Amino acid sequence: MQRLADGGAAAAWAIFARARGLAVSGARTAAESQSRRMITTSARDMSPYPAFQESLRAVGGRMFVVCDGKTGLPRASHRDFSFVEEMFASDPVNWKQHEAVFVELGRRTGALMGAFVWRTSRGQACGGIRLWDFERTDDFLRDGLRLALGMGLKSALAGLWAGGGKGV
């Protein structure tokens, strides 16, 4: 896939959509018509590579989602990742108002890495690292949410003063 010099994350999604034969809707504004297009697809259909990877590169290689303390809804660091907000908000099984999700591309490897934090009210988040090859972006995100929650519950049941976290 070509490197996007000025197109941003939305342009990466448009390229991804065209490659997979998905519908591409119109631009957000007239000024953004050439480089920013929204696609009509769900997060479930996304592959981590190349579209999600290109989206992260376009915003500096990092993004995060935090839980809004007032509403309990997820809030992404960049509007280009609003689909992650929507995916988390529509998934009450896995989104348990996690404190934060941090996603980054490895500088040397380009590997997709995530740190998932469920709760830190009992202490710092503890948990291991899962090294796994995911086929879809939503699998990567949901697995991290599930594992962080599980580590927090496991720590509480073991009587440890530690929160739940997981690296994926």
Side-chain angles (χ1 to χ4, degrees):
M1 171 168 275
Q2 66 183 6
R3 174 131 173 117
L4 301 172
D6 61 339
W13 288 114
I15 292 169
F16 174 70
R18 285 189 204 103
R20 297 201 58 192
L22 301 171
V24 179
S25 67
R28 291 181 184 183
T29 66
E32 296 176 322
S33 63
Q34 293 299 316
S35 64
R36 298 175 96 47
R37 294 190 179 271
M38 299 299 293
I39 65 169
T40 54
T41 185
S42 67
R44 186 171 53 83
D45 296 327
M46 294 179 302
S47 170
Y49 301 104
F52 195 74
Q53 189 177 32
E54 286 299 320
S55 296
L56 283 171
R57 274 197 193 106
V59 296
R62 296 180 177 175
M63 63 86 66
F64 63 87
V65 178
V66 295
C67 182
D68 185 325
K70 293 180 182 177
T71 64
L73 295 174
R75 296 287 170 239
S77 58
H78 308 302
R79 74 175 182 168
D80 290 335
F81 294 98
S82 61
F83 65 90
V84 177
E85 289 178 1
E86 294 167 12
M87 184 186 88
F88 287 172
S90 66
D91 187 3
V93 172
N94 295 311
W95 175 257
K96 301 290 187 190
Q97 297 182 346
H98 286 64
E99 289 181 12
V101 173
F102 304 94
V103 179
E104 181 175 2
L105 287 175
R107 290 190 179 131
R108 289 181 297 160
T109 64
L112 187 60
M113 302 177 291
F116 298 80
V117 179
W118 177 54
R119 294 278 185 276
T120 57
S121 57
R122 291 180 58 95
Q124 68 184 21
C126 77
I129 297 173
R130 173 171 277 187
L131 182 58
W132 205 315
D133 187 18
F134 293 94
E135 290 187 24
R136 298 185 328 222
T137 302
D138 74 318
D139 292 337
F140 165 78
L141 294 170
R142 285 191 175 102
D143 196 46
L145 293 175
R146 267 192 307 272
L147 293 167
L149 173 66
M151 289 306 299
L153 296 175
K154 189 189 310 187
S155 294
L157 289 171
L160 301 174
W161 283 94
K166 194 71 174 182
V168 178

